Amino acid sequence: MTAPETDPAVLPPQETDFDVETLIIGAGACGMVAALAAREAGQEVLVLEADATASGSTALSAGLIPAAGTRFQSEAGISDTPEHFAQDIQAKAKGENDQALVDALAQGSAPAIEWLAERYGLPFSVVSDFDYPGHSRRRMHGLPTRSGQELVDRLRSACESREIDIICNRRVRTLLADGRQITGVIATRGDGGQERIGCKRLILACNGFGGNRKLVRDHMPEIAEALWFGHEGNRGEVLGWASQLGAATRHLGAYQGHGNVAHPNGILITWAVITEGGVQVNTNARRFWNESLGYSEAARQVLAQPGGIAWTIFDGRIADIARQFADFKDAEAQGAIRQAETIAELARACSLDPDTLEATLTSLPNEAPDAFGRHFTGPPLTPPYCAVKVTGALFHTQGGLDVAPNGQVRGTDGALFPNLFAAGGAACGVSGSADSGYLSGNGLLSAVVLGRAAGVG
């Protein structure tokens, strides 16, 4: 029987059952990257995972990591620099981010990707056939299936090959600390029993708080009723620990939304269907916003429409591009993607007014920005026409513990905790203070680059 959860707690040091040098909470991409880096640095490493297997929010994503100045970009003829990347991050967030953290992530992105490729054999390639909103260069790196599950699986295999222990079914609700020195944790097993584990360093890679509806309502009420598309284990323990430890938090209202989740299938539809020339219409068959602003902002825009739904309209050419993503092929297999040779037939398949949809799609401008400010640069939509019914969702929170560029946690007085680190969703990322500051890939950027830095220490 599983013991009921208690509130996150911080207790004085206790006698432990065993000790490790570096203890990591969370076995998503962040935790496993941190573990690999720590092992390379010669540390004894243990990873605790609350679930039955390593996955986290990473497994629910497309697994794309933005990086600037990689050999993969060079091979694809793409010129990019960390400076350009940092400028894009700050521009999307309207300069609200900690510049030192932005610079560290941008500078560390290419080395992290190439380290994973060369040392651990992850076969990255650049998404080179479409652009992501806010990125001035094509810098999204992914694995062959463009799937976060593949990223998780390959990282887990890398950890296993280095004999890094990942113990699952261990949820940590209690930290042990002597002032600002973390001495260990209390982990609850699946059977309700407990283990006291001592450590010299603690890395929090346990993601954010999107799965805690109360915390979401408290910090981001505008998205509180949205579909939660992240990992249910994201309960926000770090916020409870922060308040008791005197650790600083930052931008707790920041989050990544997504306005292109197939409904009711619950499958993420790549935003390439929009950036390549697709549009969104509501149940009245009318467009309602500038879709080029980004998929995070799209969540609120879609949820504000009648019934909280919209139809994303694109064509066969765009569908061919989208099929590089496993999720899109899954959506097709489930019948979520409607297709027709004429706009009128597509409208009937989607229960939309044919005349209105015809007027909406045939009025898209080829050169000048439209009434919403969107500039269409690609070819016009042509048969066959495609559509998918979508809703808005909350993917993961972007605020969290205030950290230095190496992941070291800051106190409310600005002083650093000597042996407490945070990365990924547990740390404040570089997405500003709301949803509109999220630049595509910011979540895995923080998970991988900051996770690697925290692992090294």
Side-chain angles (χ1 to χ4, degrees), residues 61-273:
S61 73
L64 298 178
I65 308 165
T70 68
R71 65 176 175 86
F72 302 103
Q73 287 177 300
S74 296
E75 291 166 0
I78 300 168
S79 176
D80 197 8
T81 67
E83 290 73 24
H84 286 135
F85 190 12
Q87 290 168 8
D88 290 346
I89 293 171
Q90 287 290 48
K92 191 71 167 66
K94 299 179 175 59
E96 293 180 331
N97 297 314
D98 175 0
Q99 187 65 53
L101 182 59
V102 170
D103 291 341
L105 294 181
Q107 294 285 344
S109 61
I113 288 289
E114 296 187 357
W115 168 68
L116 288 173
E118 295 167 8
R119 191 68 59 88
Y120 301 106
L122 273 66
F124 286 109
S125 63
V126 179
V127 177
S128 59
D129 50 358
F130 67 91
D131 298 315
Y132 279 86
H135 285 282
S136 61
R137 308 289 192 280
R138 290 178 172 174
R139 58 172 70 103
M140 302 297 280
H141 294 70
L143 298 175
T145 62
R146 303 295 193 243
S147 162
Q149 186 61 59
E150 182 181 6
L151 178 58
V152 166
D153 291 344
R154 288 183 180 273
L155 289 173
R156 183 173 62 244
S157 295
C159 287
E160 290 171 353
S161 70
R162 270 64 181 180
E163 299 183 339
I164 295 172
D165 290 326
I166 300 175
I167 301 180
C168 296
N169 293 313
R170 299 294 190 278
R171 188 163 199 99
V172 176
R173 303 287 290 179
T174 302
L175 304 188
L176 304 176
D178 184 4
R180 289 196 170 181
Q181 183 77 24
I182 306 300
T183 63
V185 306
I186 298 177
T188 301
R189 301 191 301 265
D191 62 5
Q194 293 187 331
E195 296 170 338
R196 290 167 172 78
I197 306 168
C199 63
K200 293 182 179 179
R201 300 174 67 240
L202 179 64
I203 299 175
L204 303 177
C206 42
N207 219 287
F209 58 90
N212 185 321
R213 305 313 290 178
K214 180 183 184 305
L215 290 176
V216 170
R217 287 192 297 271
D218 288 346
H219 296 290
M220 47 193 71
E222 72 278 8
I223 201 72
E225 302 308 314
L227 170 70
W228 167 234
F229 204 77
H231 190 270
E232 285 300 327
N234 297 352
R235 309 284 176 78
E237 288 92 343
V238 292
L239 301 188
W241 296 328
S243 65
Q244 296 173 66
L245 287 168
T249 58
R250 183 178 171 90
H251 290 166
L252 296 183
Y255 64 93
Q256 182 212 341
H258 209 299
N260 216 34
V261 175
H263 178 78
N265 312 75
I267 300 174
L268 173 64
I269 305 297
T270 171
W271 201 242
V273 299

Side-chain angles (χ1 to χ4, degrees), residues 13 59 69 131 149 224 229 247 282 307 311 327 390 393 438:
D131 298 315
Q149 186 61 59
F229 204 77
N282 57 26
W311 288 90
D327 286 339
V390 299
Y438 183 83

Side-chain angles (χ1 to χ4, degrees), residues 129-130 138 272-278 313-324 328 339 374 376-386:
D129 50 358
F130 67 91
R138 290 178 172 174
V273 299
I274 294 294
T275 59
E276 284 301 298
I313 312 291
F314 50 104
D315 64 12
R317 176 189 65 84
I318 298 173
D320 286 341
I321 295 172
R323 288 190 185 99
Q324 67 186 282
F328 187 84
Q339 185 169 308
R374 180 175 176 183
F376 288 85
T377 57
L381 300 180
T382 58
Y385 299 100
C386 303

Side-chain angles (χ1 to χ4, degrees), residues 11-25:
L11 298 178
Q14 299 181 16
E15 183 177 345
T16 56
D17 298 309
F18 61 92
D19 301 278
V20 298
E21 185 174 3
T22 296
L23 181 62
I24 300 171
I25 302 177

Side-chain angles (χ1 to χ4, degrees), residues 240-431:
W241 296 328
S243 65
Q244 296 173 66
L245 287 168
T249 58
R250 183 178 171 90
H251 290 166
L252 296 183
Y255 64 93
Q256 182 212 341
H258 209 299
N260 216 34
V261 175
H263 178 78
N265 312 75
I267 300 174
L268 173 64
I269 305 297
T270 171
W271 201 242
V273 299
I274 294 294
T275 59
E276 284 301 298
V279 297
Q280 291 188 314
V281 301
N282 57 26
T283 53
N284 297 319
R286 300 183 187 278
R287 289 180 58 222
F288 48 90
W289 79 298
N290 179 355
E291 303 95 336
S292 67
L293 293 177
Y295 56 73
S296 184
E297 299 95 315
R300 284 188 294 114
Q301 295 288 342
V302 169
L303 290 169
Q305 301 310 302
I309 62 169
W311 288 90
T312 297
I313 312 291
F314 50 104
D315 64 12
R317 176 189 65 84
I318 298 173
D320 286 341
I321 295 172
R323 288 190 185 99
Q324 67 186 282
F325 294 92
D327 286 339
F328 187 84
K329 290 189 285 189
D330 288 344
E332 285 189 309
Q334 292 189 24
I337 310 297
R338 317 285 174 90
Q339 185 169 308
E341 288 300 317
T342 68
I343 295 175
E345 290 173 356
L346 187 72
R348 286 190 286 271
C350 302
S351 299
L352 299 174
D353 180 74
D355 293 336
T356 305
L357 185 61
E358 182 90 30
T360 296
L361 297 184
T362 57
S363 65
L364 300 177
N366 291 327
E367 297 181 3
D370 65 11
F372 298 104
R374 180 175 176 183
H375 194 145
F376 288 85
T377 57
L381 300 180
T382 58
Y385 299 100
C386 303
V388 56
K389 188 179 184 180
V390 299
T391 190
L394 170 62
F395 267 50
H396 57 78
T397 53
Q398 287 288 296
L401 295 173
D402 189 10
V403 297
N406 69 342
Q408 203 166 357
V409 175
R410 288 194 180 93
T412 54
D413 60 359
L416 297 175
F417 282 71
N419 68 337
L420 179 62
F421 295 78
C428 179
V430 287
S431 299

